[in-house]
Amino acid sequence: MNAERTASPRDPGTAPEAGPGTPPEIPRTAARGAARTAVVTGAGSGIGRAVALELLHEGWSVALAGRREEPLRETADLAARQAGEPVAERAGPGGGPGDGPAVGERTLCVPTDVSAPDDVAALFAAARERFGPLGLLFNNAGTFGPGGVPVEDLPYDAWRHVVDTNLNGAFLCAQAAFRQMKEQEPQGGRIINNGSVSAHAPRPHSVAYTATKHALTGLTKSLSLDGRPYRIAVGQIDIGNAATDMTARMRSGILQAGGETAVEPVMDVADVARTVRHMAELPLEANVQFATVLATAMPYIGRG
C-alpha cells in the first residue's frame, strides 16, 4: 500500500517563471513524491518501537525488523490499539495484506539479525514484495554491550558483538536499502542512521559502543555523498538519554567522567520519534545531515 504525499491547496500547480539569475522553484508536488514506506530495525523496543509507532500513526507502511518475533508483534499490536482498531488475527509469520484492519495492513513483522547478510536480504525482499518502493530506512538496531567493563577487561566476543550489530548491521541494511532505492521507480529514498551523543563525547567504559558510533558517523557521510546521484538522502540523529529500557540506569545513577555516580535526566522517547519523522518527511531535495536530540540538562555539554 503505497501512498504519495500531495501538495496542499496553498501549493502552486506550477512554479512561477524565474527572473534573471534566479533558480527555478521546485514544485512541492515533485519534491514530495517519495514512497511512504519504511524499514525500521530494532523495532521491538525503545527508540525503534517509538519511531515505528509514529510512522504508522502518520500513515506510513512499515516493515518492523528485530531479532525476536514476539516484540515485533507487540509493536504491531500496540499500533493497532493506539489507532482504535482491533488487534489483527495473524495466520503466520509476517501476516498478509488482508489479515487485519488498516494499521495491520500497513505493518509487516520480519524477524531479522541485522549482522547476518542473508537475514538482511530477506528483510528487504519481504518489504519490497509487500509494500513496493522503499522510502525510508531507519537504521536503529544497536547494543551498548556489557556496561561498566574497563577496556582491559572487555572480552573480544563482547567487542565483536557490538561491532557486528552497531556497525556491520548498519552497513548491511544501508547497502540493501541503497541498492533498492537506486534501482526502483521513482529513484531515491532516505536513510537515517541512529548515532549517539557518544559519537561526540564518550562515557567511561564504553569503548565498543563509542567506537562504533564514531564509525557510524563516517558511514553516514560516505553514504550521503555516494547517494547524491541517485536522490538518496542520508542523515543521522544523535540521541542522548531518551527514556527507554536501555537508559534505565540513568535514573538510578551512572558513572561520570570524574569518577562519581550521578542520576541523569531523561526525555520522552516520543520526542525522538517526532524528530525522526520530521527528517523522514522532508522532500528529497532537503536533508537534515545531523541532528542532536537530548535531555536538556544531561551532562553532555561540558561532559568531563
Side-chain angles (χ1 to χ4, degrees):
M1 293 179 59
N2 299 326
E4 293 188 350
R5 293 180 64 86
T6 58
S8 70
R10 293 175 292 176
D11 292 331
T14 58
E17 184 176 351
T22 302
E25 181 179 343
I26 299 173
R28 296 186 66 81
T29 50
R32 295 189 178 273
R36 286 171 59 82
T37 63
V39 170
V40 177
T41 66
S45 63
I47 291 167
R49 173 175 285 180
V51 169
L53 293 174
E54 178 73 14
L55 294 174
L56 287 164
H57 177 72
E58 293 299 320
W60 287 67
S61 297
V62 182
L64 311 173
R67 286 180 179 270
R68 296 184 296 120
E69 184 173 1
E70 186 56 34
L72 300 178
R73 294 293 186 201
E74 291 172 1
T75 299
D77 292 344
L78 181 57
R81 287 195 296 271
Q82 288 181 346
E85 300 171 356
V87 174
E89 293 293 332
R90 305 182 188 275
D99 68 347
V103 168
E105 293 173 0
R106 291 188 285 105
T107 308
L108 177 66
C109 298
V110 187
T112 306
D113 178 354
V114 296
S115 69
D118 289 347
D119 275 22
V120 172
L123 164 65
F124 282 85
R128 182 174 61 250
E129 180 178 357
R130 176 74 172 267
F131 299 132
L134 178 64
L136 170 68
L137 163 65
F138 182 45
N139 230 344
N140 167 73
T143 181
F144 191 84
V149 179
V151 61
E152 65 272 21
D153 296 328
L154 183 68
Y156 176 72
D157 286 348
W159 164 273
R160 182 63 182 268
H161 175 64
V162 176
V163 172
D164 280 346
T165 303
N166 295 6
L167 180 57
N168 294 342
F171 164 74
L172 289 171
C173 290
Q175 183 182 55
F178 203 99
R179 287 168 173 163
Q180 181 174 340
M181 291 171 177
K182 181 179 176 180
E183 299 299 328
Q184 68 191 11
E185 183 61 40
Q187 189 181 65
R190 190 179 304 274
I191 299 170
I192 301 174
N193 293 324
N194 185 354
S196 170
V197 297
S198 288
H200 308 277
R203 290 186 179 278
H205 303 159
S206 67
V207 64
Y209 181 79
T210 295
T212 57
K213 292 304 183 179
H214 274 73
L216 199 63
T217 298
L219 180 69
T220 297
K221 291 179 178 180
S222 291
L223 290 171
S224 183
L225 180 61
D226 293 346
R228 286 179 184 177
Y230 312 110
R231 297 186 76 241
I232 299 173
V234 185
Q236 180 171 314
I237 183 167
D238 296 329
I239 301 165
N241 287 16
T244 67
D245 291 342
M246 190 174 179
T247 60
R249 57 204 175 113
M250 310 298 178
R251 287 163 279 186
S252 59
I254 189 169
L255 182 65
Q256 304 295 304
E260 73 279 8
T261 298
V263 173
E264 294 189 11
V266 297
M267 63 176 170
D268 191 336
V269 70
D271 294 322
V272 174
R274 283 190 289 270
T275 304
V276 172
R277 180 170 65 84
H278 167 71
M279 296 169 68
E281 292 187 339
L282 287 172
L284 291 177
E285 289 73 21
N287 187 39
V288 175
Q289 188 68 69
F290 292 98
T292 303
V293 183
L294 48 77
T296 303
M298 72 172 287
Y300 165 61
I301 300 299
R303 182 186 288 184

